[in-house]
Amino acid sequence: MKSLFSYSLIIARRDFLAVVATPAFLLFLLAPLFMIVLAALGGSGASQVAVTSANAARIAVIAAPADVEDIKAADTALRGLTGRFAGPPELEVIVTKADPTKEAEALIISPKTDYYAVMHGPLDKPSIAHRELARNSAAFLSSLANEVMRERKTGTGFGAELSKPTLTAIQRNESSAGGRQMTAYLSVFVVFFLTLLLAGQAVGMLAEEKSNKVIEILAAAVPLEAVFLGKLVGMFGVAVLFVTFWASMAGLAVLAIPGLARLATLAPAVGLPTFIALCALYFTMAYMLLGAVFLGVGGQAGTMREVQMLSLPVTIFMVAMFGMSSAGANSPGSTLATFTQWFPFSSPYAMTARAATDPAVLPHIMALAWQAIWVAITIWVAARLFRVGVLKSGSWKSAFGFGRSAAN
Amino acid sequence: MSSLPPVWAEGLIKYFGKQQAVKGVSLSAPEGQIYGVLGPNGAGKTTTLRMMLGIIDPDGGERRLLGESNPRNANNRVGYLPEERGLYPGMKAREAIAFMGALRGLEWAEGRKRAGVMMEEAGLGHATDKKIRQMSKGMAQLVQLLGSIVHKPDLIVLDEPFSGLDPVNQEHLESLIKAEQKRGATILFSTHVMAHAERLCAGLSIIAGGLVRFQGTVDEARGRLPMRGSYTPSQDGSDVAGLLPAGAIHDGRVWRFTVPEGGAETLVQGLLASGHGIAGLTMERPGLHDAFVSIVQQARAEGELAA
């Protein structure tokens, strides 16, 4: 008699080929491309709106004619200190009219204009009216007035360099703590996203077998655990194809697109090759764990509607695992981080984060073994639930070893 | 080596919730024979077969499949055609047969090779690379049957194999079953169509209401009911009724009656001596269908079945 794994591979082979040898698989493989194109279109549109909005934004100074040139010179000098994206909106200098206070208020609240802040009054004690959330613009106007007053008192010129620094750029060989945290979070997100996206395919598999009536043939020929494991492995093969394809595309993009190469500097604590290997292993464990749960849940369902309803709580639970793991990643060494590393369903994500921030490798070997045990337990439980709940064989007690089965 | 027959069960019991579907079924199918498990709908046939195969576990009793107490240990030597036919619609016929063989320990390549040969012999050579969804129901059923025997099992279990087949395919299936028996396999099949059982089975069990009501040969089953006769006199007369057993019915031309046990010769002698002549006379045992109906009705009358 063949081993459990041999039977599993027979089933896995069938399921794998049934998925990849169809035209629909190509659509599945290229689905993220559609998402990327749509995201790019949406982002382009959003950035257009942002640029348009930024171009329309203004700050203003209602000034006496004698102050106009000084204010403009101070503005030019101060803008040189801020980067292109950090600067305040464009300055407009308005020569004083009858009631500057009323005019300032009118400019702020007018629906036809986009003034974030307006300054008026004497430059040594100016009044600045601003939108509720435009404190930075108000602060800039304040600095403007201050720069004019400073120049008038010292006579050194606007933006004069009183200190001449020497700038030295230093290259880091290791990523910073912030970089590692960012790597931790990103890796948790990627592993979770891929797991949820790909393991969700498993939820309808047994329901499909039941509707095809093939389950009877499978259940008669091989142990149910082999059926569950085989289906998981088959779909995992599909997931590996998917991830390999897109990881290759991402790698090419990092090499080809300038600026993206900087992503390579988010070096994890265990080293990049080990980190990539660990991410792959943790994705495997996360997939197997979640896939086994989805298979077990789906196996209890009689219709696709029941499948969808039953899988929702599982999805919500896994999002909670992601949230906890991300929170734990932000505070390495905390009680939450330790809990998420031990709890089976959050362990793959939490340990991925740990690989980014902690150079020790031994905990990962232990964690992988722990997760593998839980994969086996989950498959065993799912098979038992299927046997009792769907095949109506045995009692709940005997299924989980609390009572003797009547079978000889 | 076990001395028990390939299929053996003693006192199998099965509950589904509070309902007892099988109440103590005992079976014994001799090696190399075609053995029938007959019964009306809901009798417990499929449940019994599933318990024997290990798909579900009994709640009581013992079972041995090819001498193994755990049916899984005999997995590679058993072929099974379930009542609910099921194949992957997108799979090609040859691959489907090879897949079913692989589940029973046959190498893929060998399974594909045998599948091609078997489909050719079954008249399905043109459909080897057709997908299951492109086949008619009868063709798909034949494919599934071939899948259940591709690995040349010692025991073949067929649950309602003739259901859904047209007469031509039914005959083809009977030929296949006989061929497998000639090869040396033991065949256990369930049906509620008596004609097939009558033609194929050397032995049978009739299950009704979760219990075995009869176990024996087809002739023994038929022998439970008295012979039936019909008599057409050359010259009718008012005293003909007196020559026949009590309860004889005349339909205007033919007299129909039940032949008393051991009374056939006396009856014939009486008719010959009567002077009415014999234009037609038949005496035959009822068919398995009648025996089956009688046994099931008896069980119902005993109150053990739901009306």
Side-chain angles (χ1 to χ4, degrees):
Chain A
M1 199 174 82
K2 291 193 173 189
S3 70
L4 186 83
F5 293 108
S6 301
Y7 288 128
S8 302
L9 286 177
I10 292 168
I11 293 170
R13 179 186 184 277
R14 197 244 48 117
D15 284 7
F16 177 79
L17 288 175
V19 173
V20 303
T22 59
F25 178 67
L26 209 55
L27 272 176
F28 169 74
L29 194 64
L30 296 177
L33 191 62
F34 301 127
M35 284 163 54
I36 291 168
V37 166
L38 283 174
L41 284 173
S44 164
S47 73
Q48 286 283 351
V49 168
V51 164
T52 305
S53 172
N55 287 344
R58 295 279 186 276
I59 52 175
V61 178
I62 300 173
D67 293 333
V68 171
E69 288 309 316
D70 283 352
I71 288 168
K72 285 183 181 176
D75 178 61
T76 304
L78 285 180
R79 280 178 194 275
L81 296 176
T82 60
R84 184 162 67 94
F85 294 108
E90 195 177 316
L91 176 71
E92 190 173 321
V93 183
I94 302 168
V95 175
T96 311
K97 298 250 175 91
D99 188 344
T101 306
K102 273 194 180 162
E103 191 179 349
E105 194 180 319
L107 285 173
I108 297 285
I109 65 177
S110 169
K112 295 178 186 173
T113 55
D114 235 350
Y115 288 98
Y116 282 16
V118 179
M119 184 166 70
H120 62 90
L123 288 175
D124 58 338
K125 283 182 187 169
S127 295
I128 302 174
H130 64 89
R131 287 190 185 179
E132 274 186 62
L133 299 175
R135 288 185 183 277
N136 287 345
S137 296
F140 181 78
L141 287 173
S142 170
S143 301
L144 204 66
N146 192 64
E147 178 67 10
V148 171
M149 294 307 298
R150 188 199 61 77
E151 201 283 327
R152 285 178 181 175
K153 281 206 165 121
T154 62
T156 53
F158 292 103
E161 280 190 4
L162 302 178
S163 160
K164 293 190 190 300
T166 303
L167 302 175
T168 308
I170 296 175
Q171 187 134 2
R172 292 177 63 93
N173 291 329
E174 287 184 9
S175 59
S176 64
R180 290 180 179 183
Q181 290 283 80
M182 177 63 74
T183 304
Y185 179 77
L186 278 176
S187 58
V188 170
F189 176 76
V190 169
V191 171
F192 169 77
F193 178 72
L194 285 175
T195 304
L196 195 63
L197 179 72
L198 297 170
Q201 310 280 320
V203 73
M205 296 190 73
L206 277 175
E208 195 183 329
E209 302 293 37
K210 280 153 67 179
S211 75
N212 282 340
K213 311 280 195 290
V214 176
I215 193 64
E216 185 88 358
I217 292 176
L218 297 177
V222 303
L224 277 176
E225 289 78 5
V227 175
F228 276 74
L229 183 60
K231 295 210 161 287
L232 264 184
V233 170
M235 290 313 293
F236 180 68
V238 176
V240 166
L241 261 187
F242 181 93
V243 171
T244 305
F245 176 76
W246 282 103
S248 307
M249 294 295 111
L252 288 173
V254 166
L255 293 173
I257 298 176
L260 279 188
R262 269 188 248 160
L263 287 175
T265 63
L266 294 175
V270 294
L272 194 58
T274 308
F275 182 71
I276 290 173
L278 284 173
C279 281
L281 288 168
Y282 285 130
F283 167 69
T284 303
M285 290 300 159
Y287 183 96
M288 290 299 197
L289 273 169
L290 184 58
V293 172
F294 272 137
L295 257 186
V297 162
Q300 299 297 317
T303 62
M304 288 312 289
R305 184 187 294 183
E306 280 180 22
V307 166
Q308 287 163 1
M309 284 170 58
L310 288 173
S311 61
L312 182 60
V314 176
T315 307
I316 293 171
F317 174 73
M318 291 315 297
V319 171
M321 294 299 101
F322 166 69
M324 278 171 38
S325 302
S326 302
N330 283 334
S331 52
S334 64
T335 306
L336 178 64
T338 306
F339 172 76
T340 55
Q341 288 164 21
W342 275 100
F343 187 66
F345 294 96
S346 58
S347 180
Y349 313 115
M351 291 305 294
T352 303
R354 182 169 176 165
T357 57
D358 182 351
V361 173
L362 182 61
H364 298 287
I365 297 171
M366 291 162 52
L368 286 166
W370 172 244
Q371 290 159 24
I373 290 170
W374 276 95
V375 169
I377 290 172
T378 310
I379 290 173
W380 181 80
V381 168
R384 286 289 179 277
L385 285 174
F386 187 84
R387 195 168 175 79
V388 178
V390 179
L391 294 182
K392 309 285 186 216
S393 176
S395 66
W396 295 104
K397 278 187 184 171
S398 65
F400 293 99
F402 295 114
R404 215 166 57 88
S405 168
N408 54 299
Chain B
M1 187 177 284
S2 172
S3 59
L4 288 171
V7 179
W8 180 88
E10 183 74 41
L12 290 180
I13 293 171
K14 183 66 187 171
Y15 285 89
F16 291 116
K18 288 185 180 165
Q19 189 186 351
Q20 191 175 16
V22 177
K23 298 174 183 172
V25 163
S26 300
L27 271 184
S28 179
E31 188 173 355
Q33 283 195 17
I34 301 174
Y35 194 87
V37 177
L38 282 53
N41 296 331
K45 306 186 296 294
T46 296
T47 304
T48 300
L49 293 182
R50 293 171 100 218
M51 284 192 284
M52 291 307 304
L53 290 164
I55 297 171
I56 56 177
D57 287 328
D59 296 316
E62 287 187 71
R63 63 183 170 189
R64 295 283 187 278
L65 199 73
L66 294 171
E68 303 282 355
S69 57
N70 181 356
R72 292 266 173 241
N73 294 340
N75 181 52
N76 290 2
R77 298 158 59 203
V78 175
Y80 174 50
L81 180 71
E83 180 182 11
E84 302 251 23
R85 310 284 181 255
L87 292 168
Y88 292 109
M91 221 171 178
K92 292 181 184 173
R94 191 204 311 252
E95 288 299 315
I97 294 171
F99 173 67
M100 285 187 272
L103 289 176
R104 299 287 184 172
L106 188 66
E107 293 300 321
W108 276 97
E110 180 63 22
R112 274 198 213 93
K113 197 168 109 187
R114 289 189 193 178
V117 170
M118 290 168 83
M119 287 188 74
E120 197 68 52
E121 287 171 357
L124 295 175
H126 62 286
T128 316
D129 290 321
K130 260 193 180 175
K131 290 188 180 171
I132 300 300
R133 68 165 72 94
Q134 295 170 327
M135 300 177 121
S136 68
K137 184 179 173 187
M139 284 168 71
Q141 244 175 266
L142 270 178
V143 166
Q144 188 159 359
L145 175 71
L146 295 178
S148 69
I149 60 175
V150 66
H151 55 297
K152 297 190 173 42
D154 296 329
L155 170 67
I156 303 169
V157 179
L158 309 170
D159 196 353
E160 307 277 1
F162 299 98
S163 131
L165 291 182
D166 61 45
V168 172
N169 279 325
Q170 285 184 18
E171 194 174 316
H172 194 89
L173 177 54
E174 283 191 18
S175 305
L176 267 172
I177 290 173
K178 286 176 186 168
E180 287 299 302
Q181 191 225 349
K182 265 194 186 158
R183 180 177 63 77
T186 303
I187 294 152
L188 181 73
F189 80 89
S190 77
T191 183
H192 53 261
V193 178
M194 300 302 120
H196 302 298
E198 208 154 12
R199 282 198 289 273
L200 294 170
C201 297
L204 54 92
S205 291
I206 296 177
I207 298 177
L211 283 168
V212 174
R213 305 295 177 168
F214 171 81
Q215 195 161 323
T217 64
V218 172
D219 285 339
E220 286 168 358
R222 293 170 67 188
R224 283 169 64 111
L225 292 178
M227 274 201 291
R228 287 198 210 119
S230 67
Y231 167 57
T232 309
S234 304
Q235 288 170 343
D236 212 341
S238 56
D239 61 336
V240 171
L243 299 169
L244 300 171
I249 301 167
H250 189 223
D251 68 4
R253 207 172 64 83
V254 178
W255 288 90
R256 301 192 190 279
F257 50 89
T258 301
V259 179
E261 207 58 44
E265 287 175 2
T266 310
L267 177 63
V268 170
Q269 284 166 2
L271 290 175
L272 283 170
S274 69
H276 290 284
I278 300 177
L281 179 65
T282 66
M283 288 188 197
E284 59 183 359
R285 286 280 175 202
L288 185 59
H289 174 90
D290 296 314
F292 173 84
V293 169
S294 166
I295 290 167
V296 170
Q297 282 178 343
Q298 189 180 355
R300 283 188 180 149
E302 287 167 7
E304 290 189 45
L305 290 178

